[in-house]
PDB file of all heavy atoms in Angstrom:
ATOM      1  N   PHE R   1     166.937 133.870  42.639  1.00 82.00           N
ATOM      2  CA  PHE R   1     168.276 133.459  42.226  1.00 82.00           C
ATOM      3  C   PHE R   1     168.963 132.620  43.298  1.00 82.00           C
ATOM      4  O   PHE R   1     169.735 131.708  42.980  1.00 82.00           O
ATOM      5  CB  PHE R   1     169.122 134.690  41.876  1.00 82.00           C
ATOM      6  CG  PHE R   1     168.635 135.419  40.660  1.00 82.00           C
ATOM      7  CD1 PHE R   1     167.997 136.633  40.766  1.00 82.00           C
ATOM      8  CD2 PHE R   1     168.816 134.881  39.389  1.00 82.00           C
ATOM      9  CE1 PHE R   1     167.541 137.309  39.645  1.00 82.00           C
ATOM     10  CE2 PHE R   1     168.362 135.543  38.265  1.00 82.00           C
ATOM     11  CZ  PHE R   1     167.722 136.750  38.393  1.00 82.00           C
ATOM     12  N   LEU R   2     168.702 132.903  44.574  1.00 85.00           N
ATOM     13  CA  LEU R   2     169.269 132.076  45.638  1.00 85.00           C
ATOM     14  C   LEU R   2     168.673 130.670  45.609  1.00 85.00           C
ATOM     15  O   LEU R   2     169.383 129.682  45.847  1.00 85.00           O
ATOM     16  CB  LEU R   2     169.017 132.737  46.995  1.00 85.00           C
ATOM     17  CG  LEU R   2     169.788 134.030  47.275  1.00 85.00           C
ATOM     18  CD1 LEU R   2     169.447 134.566  48.654  1.00 85.00           C
ATOM     19  CD2 LEU R   2     171.293 133.805  47.147  1.00 85.00           C
ATOM     20  N   ILE R   3     167.387 130.562  45.302  1.00 85.00           N
ATOM     21  CA  ILE R   3     166.770 129.239  45.179  1.00 85.00           C
ATOM     22  C   ILE R   3     167.393 128.470  44.015  1.00 85.00           C
ATOM     23  O   ILE R   3     167.690 127.270  44.121  1.00 85.00           O
ATOM     24  CB  ILE R   3     165.245 129.383  45.003  1.00 85.00           C
ATOM     25  CG1 ILE R   3     164.612 129.958  46.279  1.00 85.00           C
ATOM     26  CG2 ILE R   3     164.606 128.038  44.659  1.00 85.00           C
ATOM     27  CD1 ILE R   3     163.136 130.262  46.147  1.00 85.00           C
ATOM     28  N   LEU R   4     167.614 129.162  42.897  1.00 82.00           N
ATOM     29  CA  LEU R   4     168.253 128.515  41.754  1.00 82.00           C
ATOM     30  C   LEU R   4     169.678 128.076  42.078  1.00 82.00           C
ATOM     31  O   LEU R   4     170.130 127.022  41.627  1.00 82.00           O
ATOM     32  CB  LEU R   4     168.263 129.466  40.555  1.00 82.00           C
ATOM     33  CG  LEU R   4     166.916 129.727  39.879  1.00 82.00           C
ATOM     34  CD1 LEU R   4     167.090 130.734  38.757  1.00 82.00           C
ATOM     35  CD2 LEU R   4     166.329 128.437  39.337  1.00 82.00           C
ATOM     36  N   ALA R   5     170.384 128.884  42.845  1.00 83.00           N
ATOM     37  CA  ALA R   5     171.749 128.517  43.226  1.00 83.00           C
ATOM     38  C   ALA R   5     171.756 127.245  44.066  1.00 83.00           C
ATOM     39  O   ALA R   5     172.624 126.372  43.904  1.00 83.00           O
ATOM     40  CB  ALA R   5     172.404 129.668  43.988  1.00 83.00           C
ATOM     41  N   PHE R   6     170.772 127.100  44.967  1.00 84.00           N
ATOM     42  CA  PHE R   6     170.658 125.883  45.773  1.00 84.00           C
ATOM     43  C   PHE R   6     170.384 124.670  44.888  1.00 84.00           C
ATOM     44  O   PHE R   6     170.987 123.598  45.063  1.00 84.00           O
ATOM     45  CB  PHE R   6     169.550 126.056  46.808  1.00 84.00           C
ATOM     46  CG  PHE R   6     169.276 124.815  47.617  1.00 84.00           C
ATOM     47  CD1 PHE R   6     170.123 124.444  48.647  1.00 84.00           C
ATOM     48  CD2 PHE R   6     168.178 124.016  47.331  1.00 84.00           C
ATOM     49  CE1 PHE R   6     169.875 123.290  49.392  1.00 84.00           C
ATOM     50  CE2 PHE R   6     167.921 122.870  48.061  1.00 84.00           C
ATOM     51  CZ  PHE R   6     168.777 122.507  49.100  1.00 84.00           C
ATOM     52  N   LEU R   7     169.482 124.822  43.919  1.00 83.00           N
ATOM     53  CA  LEU R   7     169.195 123.716  43.001  1.00 83.00           C
ATOM     54  C   LEU R   7     170.413 123.375  42.147  1.00 83.00           C
ATOM     55  O   LEU R   7     170.649 122.207  41.811  1.00 83.00           O
ATOM     56  CB  LEU R   7     168.011 124.083  42.101  1.00 83.00           C
ATOM     57  CG  LEU R   7     166.654 124.246  42.797  1.00 83.00           C
ATOM     58  CD1 LEU R   7     165.594 124.708  41.794  1.00 83.00           C
ATOM     59  CD2 LEU R   7     166.231 122.942  43.455  1.00 83.00           C
ATOM     60  N   ALA R   8     171.197 124.392  41.791  1.00 80.00           N
ATOM     61  CA  ALA R   8     172.402 124.155  41.004  1.00 80.00           C
ATOM     62  C   ALA R   8     173.419 123.326  41.784  1.00 80.00           C
ATOM     63  O   ALA R   8     174.113 122.481  41.211  1.00 80.00           O
ATOM     64  CB  ALA R   8     173.022 125.490  40.582  1.00 80.00           C
ATOM     65  N   LEU R   9     173.512 123.557  43.097  1.00 83.00           N
ATOM     66  CA  LEU R   9     174.412 122.740  43.914  1.00 83.00           C
ATOM     67  C   LEU R   9     173.997 121.270  43.887  1.00 83.00           C
ATOM     68  O   LEU R   9     174.846 120.371  43.835  1.00 83.00           O
ATOM     69  CB  LEU R   9     174.408 123.253  45.354  1.00 83.00           C
ATOM     70  CG  LEU R   9     175.197 124.533  45.635  1.00 83.00           C
ATOM     71  CD1 LEU R   9     175.033 124.934  47.092  1.00 83.00           C
ATOM     72  CD2 LEU R   9     176.674 124.340  45.290  1.00 83.00           C
ATOM     73  N   PHE R  10     172.703 121.012  43.912  1.00 83.00           N
ATOM     74  CA  PHE R  10     172.201 119.638  43.827  1.00 83.00           C
ATOM     75  C   PHE R  10     172.582 119.015  42.486  1.00 83.00           C
ATOM     76  O   PHE R  10     173.002 117.857  42.419  1.00 83.00           O
ATOM     77  CB  PHE R  10     170.684 119.637  44.012  1.00 83.00           C
ATOM     78  CG  PHE R  10     170.054 118.284  43.904  1.00 83.00           C
ATOM     79  CD1 PHE R  10     170.227 117.333  44.903  1.00 83.00           C
ATOM     80  CD2 PHE R  10     169.288 117.945  42.798  1.00 83.00           C
ATOM     81  CE1 PHE R  10     169.651 116.082  44.808  1.00 83.00           C
ATOM     82  CE2 PHE R  10     168.705 116.696  42.690  1.00 83.00           C
ATOM     83  CZ  PHE R  10     168.890 115.758  43.700  1.00 83.00           C
ATOM     84  N   ASP R  11     172.453 119.800  41.392  1.00 80.00           N
ATOM     85  CA  ASP R  11     172.839 119.315  40.071  1.00 80.00           C
ATOM     86  C   ASP R  11     174.334 119.021  40.019  1.00 80.00           C
ATOM     87  O   ASP R  11     174.764 118.021  39.424  1.00 80.00           O
ATOM     88  CB  ASP R  11     172.468 120.365  39.013  1.00 80.00           C
ATOM     89  CG  ASP R  11     172.957 119.983  37.628  1.00 80.00           C
ATOM     90  OD1 ASP R  11     172.524 118.940  37.100  1.00 80.00           O
ATOM     91  OD2 ASP R  11     173.785 120.717  37.060  1.00 80.00           O
ATOM     92  N   GLY R  12     175.146 119.879  40.638  1.00 80.00           N
ATOM     93  CA  GLY R  12     176.590 119.646  40.659  1.00 80.00           C
ATOM     94  C   GLY R  12     176.955 118.369  41.385  1.00 80.00           C
ATOM     95  O   GLY R  12     177.859 117.638  40.967  1.00 80.00           O
ATOM     96  N   ALA R  13     176.234 118.067  42.467  1.00 82.00           N
ATOM     97  CA  ALA R  13     176.500 116.828  43.195  1.00 82.00           C
ATOM     98  C   ALA R  13     176.167 115.608  42.333  1.00 82.00           C
ATOM     99  O   ALA R  13     176.901 114.607  42.337  1.00 82.00           O
ATOM    100  CB  ALA R  13     175.683 116.812  44.489  1.00 82.00           C
ATOM    101  N   LEU R  14     175.069 115.681  41.572  1.00 82.00           N
ATOM    102  CA  LEU R  14     174.716 114.579  40.675  1.00 82.00           C
ATOM    103  C   LEU R  14     175.778 114.387  39.598  1.00 82.00           C
ATOM    104  O   LEU R  14     176.115 113.253  39.244  1.00 82.00           O
ATOM    105  CB  LEU R  14     173.354 114.855  40.031  1.00 82.00           C
ATOM    106  CG  LEU R  14     172.120 114.704  40.916  1.00 82.00           C
ATOM    107  CD1 LEU R  14     170.860 115.047  40.134  1.00 82.00           C
ATOM    108  CD2 LEU R  14     172.022 113.279  41.464  1.00 82.00           C
ATOM    109  N   GLN R  15     176.302 115.484  39.063  1.00 78.00           N
ATOM    110  CA  GLN R  15     177.342 115.378  38.042  1.00 78.00           C
ATOM    111  C   GLN R  15     178.591 114.713  38.589  1.00 78.00           C
ATOM    112  O   GLN R  15     179.216 113.879  37.919  1.00 78.00           O
ATOM    113  CB  GLN R  15     177.680 116.771  37.493  1.00 78.00           C
ATOM    114  CG  GLN R  15     176.591 117.379  36.627  1.00 78.00           C
ATOM    115  CD  GLN R  15     177.062 118.634  35.924  1.00 78.00           C
ATOM    116  OE1 GLN R  15     178.234 118.774  35.587  1.00 78.00           O
ATOM    117  NE2 GLN R  15     176.150 119.561  35.709  1.00 78.00           N
ATOM    118  N   LEU R  16     178.996 115.079  39.805  1.00 79.00           N
ATOM    119  CA  LEU R  16     180.173 114.459  40.408  1.00 79.00           C
ATOM    120  C   LEU R  16     179.973 112.963  40.600  1.00 79.00           C
ATOM    121  O   LEU R  16     180.909 112.168  40.435  1.00 79.00           O
ATOM    122  CB  LEU R  16     180.476 115.119  41.755  1.00 79.00           C
ATOM    123  CG  LEU R  16     181.106 116.521  41.713  1.00 79.00           C
ATOM    124  CD1 LEU R  16     181.172 117.108  43.114  1.00 79.00           C
ATOM    125  CD2 LEU R  16     182.496 116.456  41.095  1.00 79.00           C
ATOM    126  N   PHE R  17     178.749 112.559  40.916  1.00 80.00           N
ATOM    127  CA  PHE R  17     178.473 111.153  41.192  1.00 80.00           C
ATOM    128  C   PHE R  17     178.318 110.339  39.908  1.00 80.00           C
ATOM    129  O   PHE R  17     178.831 109.222  39.803  1.00 80.00           O
ATOM    130  CB  PHE R  17     177.210 111.036  42.046  1.00 80.00           C
ATOM    131  CG  PHE R  17     176.834 109.618  42.387  1.00 80.00           C
ATOM    132  CD1 PHE R  17     177.570 108.892  43.326  1.00 80.00           C
ATOM    133  CD2 PHE R  17     175.766 108.991  41.764  1.00 80.00           C
ATOM    134  CE1 PHE R  17     177.227 107.588  43.631  1.00 80.00           C
ATOM    135  CE2 PHE R  17     175.417 107.689  42.065  1.00 80.00           C
ATOM    136  CZ  PHE R  17     176.154 106.978  43.002  1.00 80.00           C
ATOM    137  N   VAL R  18     177.617 110.895  38.904  1.00 76.00           N
ATOM    138  CA  VAL R  18     177.281 110.136  37.696  1.00 76.00           C
ATOM    139  C   VAL R  18     178.339 110.289  36.607  1.00 76.00           C
ATOM    140  O   VAL R  18     178.845 109.298  36.064  1.00 76.00           O
ATOM    141  CB  VAL R  18     175.893 110.565  37.159  1.00 76.00           C
ATOM    142  CG1 VAL R  18     175.573 109.835  35.860  1.00 76.00           C
ATOM    143  CG2 VAL R  18     174.816 110.308  38.199  1.00 76.00           C
ATOM    144  N   LEU R  19     178.684 111.525  36.271  1.00 71.00           N
ATOM    145  CA  LEU R  19     179.592 111.758  35.146  1.00 71.00           C
ATOM    146  C   LEU R  19     181.056 111.608  35.509  1.00 71.00           C
ATOM    147  O   LEU R  19     181.889 111.363  34.637  1.00 71.00           O
ATOM    148  CB  LEU R  19     179.355 113.169  34.567  1.00 71.00           C
ATOM    149  CG  LEU R  19     177.975 113.436  33.972  1.00 71.00           C
ATOM    150  CD1 LEU R  19     177.907 114.851  33.428  1.00 71.00           C
ATOM    151  CD2 LEU R  19     177.668 112.430  32.864  1.00 71.00           C
ATOM    152  N   GLN R  20     181.389 111.760  36.796  1.00 68.00           N
ATOM    153  CA  GLN R  20     182.775 111.685  37.254  1.00 68.00           C
ATOM    154  C   GLN R  20     183.687 112.573  36.385  1.00 68.00           C
ATOM    155  O   GLN R  20     184.509 112.082  35.610  1.00 68.00           O
ATOM    156  CB  GLN R  20     183.265 110.235  37.231  1.00 68.00           C
ATOM    157  CG  GLN R  20     182.472 109.323  38.160  1.00 68.00           C
ATOM    158  CD  GLN R  20     182.942 107.882  38.114  1.00 68.00           C
ATOM    159  OE1 GLN R  20     183.746 107.502  37.267  1.00 68.00           O
ATOM    160  NE2 GLN R  20     182.422 107.064  39.022  1.00 68.00           N
ATOM    161  N   PRO R  21     183.527 113.890  36.500  1.00 66.00           N
ATOM    162  CA  PRO R  21     184.232 114.806  35.598  1.00 66.00           C
ATOM    163  C   PRO R  21     185.738 114.854  35.792  1.00 66.00           C
ATOM    164  O   PRO R  21     186.442 115.526  35.028  1.00 66.00           O
ATOM    165  CB  PRO R  21     183.607 116.168  35.937  1.00 66.00           C
ATOM    166  CG  PRO R  21     183.092 116.017  37.319  1.00 66.00           C
ATOM    167  CD  PRO R  21     182.657 114.605  37.442  1.00 66.00           C
ATOM    168  N   THR R  22     186.276 114.153  36.794  1.00 64.00           N
ATOM    169  CA  THR R  22     187.731 114.147  36.968  1.00 64.00           C
ATOM    170  C   THR R  22     188.425 113.292  35.912  1.00 64.00           C
ATOM    171  O   THR R  22     189.630 113.422  35.704  1.00 64.00           O
ATOM    172  CB  THR R  22     188.087 113.626  38.366  1.00 64.00           C
ATOM    173  OG1 THR R  22     187.489 112.340  38.557  1.00 64.00           O
ATOM    174  CG2 THR R  22     187.581 114.579  39.440  1.00 64.00           C
ATOM    175  N   LYS R  23     187.660 112.429  35.240  1.00 65.00           N
ATOM    176  CA  LYS R  23     188.240 111.581  34.204  1.00 65.00           C
ATOM    177  C   LYS R  23     188.344 112.338  32.886  1.00 65.00           C
ATOM    178  O   LYS R  23     187.415 113.030  32.492  1.00 65.00           O
ATOM    179  CB  LYS R  23     187.385 110.318  33.993  1.00 65.00           C
ATOM    180  CG  LYS R  23     187.350 109.386  35.196  1.00 65.00           C
ATOM    181  CD  LYS R  23     186.523 108.152  34.880  1.00 65.00           C
ATOM    182  CE  LYS R  23     186.496 107.198  36.070  1.00 65.00           C
ATOM    183  NZ  LYS R  23     185.687 105.971  35.766  1.00 65.00           N
ATOM    184  N   VAL R  24     189.471 112.203  32.213  1.00 64.00           N
ATOM    185  CA  VAL R  24     189.681 112.803  30.895  1.00 64.00           C
ATOM    186  C   VAL R  24     189.629 111.686  29.861  1.00 64.00           C
ATOM    187  O   VAL R  24     190.457 110.776  29.880  1.00 64.00           O
ATOM    188  CB  VAL R  24     191.022 113.556  30.818  1.00 64.00           C
ATOM    189  CG1 VAL R  24     191.254 114.090  29.413  1.00 64.00           C
ATOM    190  CG2 VAL R  24     191.047 114.683  31.831  1.00 64.00           C
ATOM    191  N   GLU R  25     188.646 111.735  28.966  1.00 65.00           N
ATOM    192  CA  GLU R  25     188.446 110.682  27.966  1.00 65.00           C
ATOM    193  C   GLU R  25     188.398 111.303  26.577  1.00 65.00           C
ATOM    194  O   GLU R  25     187.321 111.594  26.046  1.00 65.00           O
ATOM    195  CB  GLU R  25     187.151 109.911  28.250  1.00 65.00           C
ATOM    196  CG  GLU R  25     187.137 109.215  29.599  1.00 65.00           C
ATOM    197  CD  GLU R  25     185.833 108.489  29.870  1.00 65.00           C
ATOM    198  OE1 GLU R  25     184.916 108.628  29.028  1.00 65.00           O
ATOM    199  OE2 GLU R  25     185.730 107.789  30.884  1.00 65.00           O
ATOM    200  N   PRO R  26     189.557 111.514  25.954  1.00 64.00           N
ATOM    201  CA  PRO R  26     189.563 112.121  24.613  1.00 64.00           C
ATOM    202  C   PRO R  26     189.056 111.156  23.562  1.00 64.00           C
ATOM    203  O   PRO R  26     189.048 109.934  23.752  1.00 64.00           O
ATOM    204  CB  PRO R  26     191.044 112.449  24.400  1.00 64.00           C
ATOM    205  CG  PRO R  26     191.777 111.467  25.255  1.00 64.00           C
ATOM    206  CD  PRO R  26     190.905 111.241  26.462  1.00 64.00           C
ATOM    207  N   GLU R  27     188.611 111.723  22.422  1.00 61.00           N
ATOM    208  CA  GLU R  27     188.193 110.892  21.293  1.00 61.00           C
ATOM    209  C   GLU R  27     189.406 110.161  20.714  1.00 61.00           C
ATOM    210  O   GLU R  27     190.523 110.688  20.703  1.00 61.00           O
ATOM    211  CB  GLU R  27     187.553 111.769  20.209  1.00 61.00           C
ATOM    212  CG  GLU R  27     186.234 112.397  20.632  1.00 61.00           C
ATOM    213  CD  GLU R  27     185.078 111.426  20.534  1.00 61.00           C
ATOM    214  OE1 GLU R  27     185.324 110.273  20.149  1.00 61.00           O
ATOM    215  OE2 GLU R  27     183.945 111.818  20.853  1.00 61.00           O
ATOM    216  N   THR R  28     189.177 108.931  20.233  1.00 63.00           N
ATOM    217  CA  THR R  28     190.270 108.125  19.701  1.00 63.00           C
ATOM    218  C   THR R  28     190.584 108.448  18.248  1.00 63.00           C
ATOM    219  O   THR R  28     191.553 107.941  17.699  1.00 63.00           O
ATOM    220  CB  THR R  28     189.922 106.631  19.812  1.00 63.00           C
ATOM    221  OG1 THR R  28     188.679 106.393  19.126  1.00 63.00           O
ATOM    222  CG2 THR R  28     189.780 106.238  21.276  1.00 63.00           C
ATOM    223  N   GLN R  29     189.768 109.277  17.612  1.00 68.00           N
ATOM    224  CA  GLN R  29     190.022 109.659  16.229  1.00 68.00           C
ATOM    225  C   GLN R  29     189.885 111.166  16.082  1.00 68.00           C
ATOM    226  O   GLN R  29     189.193 111.821  16.855  1.00 68.00           O
ATOM    227  CB  GLN R  29     189.045 108.955  15.285  1.00 68.00           C
ATOM    228  CG  GLN R  29     187.587 109.146  15.639  1.00 68.00           C
ATOM    229  CD  GLN R  29     186.670 108.317  14.776  1.00 68.00           C
ATOM    230  OE1 GLN R  29     187.081 107.778  13.750  1.00 68.00           O
ATOM    231  NE2 GLN R  29     185.414 108.207  15.168  1.00 68.00           N
ATOM    232  N   LYS R  30     190.574 111.701  15.110  1.00 73.00           N
ATOM    233  CA  LYS R  30     190.573 113.136  14.891  1.00 73.00           C
ATOM    234  C   LYS R  30     189.321 113.542  14.122  1.00 73.00           C
ATOM    235  O   LYS R  30     188.993 112.997  13.079  1.00 73.00           O
ATOM    236  CB  LYS R  30     191.825 113.548  14.114  1.00 73.00           C
ATOM    237  CG  LYS R  30     191.964 115.055  13.939  1.00 73.00           C
ATOM    238  CD  LYS R  30     193.255 115.412  13.221  1.00 73.00           C
ATOM    239  CE  LYS R  30     193.385 116.925  13.053  1.00 73.00           C
ATOM    240  NZ  LYS R  30     194.633 117.280  12.326  1.00 73.00           N
ATOM    241  N   GLY R  31     188.614 114.522  14.657  1.00 73.00           N
ATOM    242  CA  GLY R  31     187.391 114.971  14.026  1.00 73.00           C
ATOM    243  C   GLY R  31     187.641 115.880  12.839  1.00 73.00           C
ATOM    244  O   GLY R  31     188.758 116.378  12.617  1.00 73.00           O
ATOM    245  N   THR R  32     186.592 116.107  12.050  1.00 80.00           N
ATOM    246  CA  THR R  32     186.669 117.019  10.907  1.00 80.00           C
ATOM    247  C   THR R  32     186.900 118.441  11.407  1.00 80.00           C
ATOM    248  O   THR R  32     186.275 118.863  12.378  1.00 80.00           O
ATOM    249  CB  THR R  32     185.356 116.962  10.096  1.00 80.00           C
ATOM    250  OG1 THR R  32     185.089 115.609   9.729  1.00 80.00           O
ATOM    251  CG2 THR R  32     185.461 117.822   8.847  1.00 80.00           C
ATOM    252  N   PRO R  33     187.823 119.192  10.778  1.00 83.00           N
ATOM    253  CA  PRO R  33     188.073 120.570  11.218  1.00 83.00           C
ATOM    254  C   PRO R  33     186.811 121.412  11.217  1.00 83.00           C
ATOM    255  O   PRO R  33     185.901 121.223  10.399  1.00 83.00           O
ATOM    256  CB  PRO R  33     189.099 121.088  10.196  1.00 83.00           C
ATOM    257  CG  PRO R  33     189.768 119.860   9.677  1.00 83.00           C
ATOM    258  CD  PRO R  33     188.716 118.785   9.690  1.00 83.00           C
ATOM    259  N   LEU R  34     186.764 122.360  12.134  1.00 81.00           N
ATOM    260  CA  LEU R  34     185.586 123.209  12.298  1.00 81.00           C
ATOM    261  C   LEU R  34     185.272 123.991  11.035  1.00 81.00           C
ATOM    262  O   LEU R  34     184.106 124.114  10.627  1.00 81.00           O
ATOM    263  CB  LEU R  34     185.802 124.165  13.478  1.00 81.00           C
ATOM    264  CG  LEU R  34     184.626 125.047  13.878  1.00 81.00           C
ATOM    265  CD1 LEU R  34     183.475 124.194  14.404  1.00 81.00           C
ATOM    266  CD2 LEU R  34     185.045 126.066  14.930  1.00 81.00           C
ATOM    267  N   LEU R  35     186.300 124.525  10.373  1.00 85.00           N
ATOM    268  CA  LEU R  35     186.079 125.322   9.163  1.00 85.00           C
ATOM    269  C   LEU R  35     185.503 124.473   8.038  1.00 85.00           C
ATOM    270  O   LEU R  35     184.678 124.957   7.254  1.00 85.00           O
ATOM    271  CB  LEU R  35     187.389 125.981   8.716  1.00 85.00           C
ATOM    272  CG  LEU R  35     187.919 127.105   9.619  1.00 85.00           C
ATOM    273  CD1 LEU R  35     189.253 127.626   9.089  1.00 85.00           C
ATOM    274  CD2 LEU R  35     186.909 128.247   9.701  1.00 85.00           C
TER     275      LEU R  35
END
């Protein structure tokens, strides 16, 4: 589990670099209700 935690930190760094999760990009149209 400690090895997996280390690999998860690497994945988190990639997400910060590629996906830039600080940006909020909502959909421009309203989706069909879940029900």
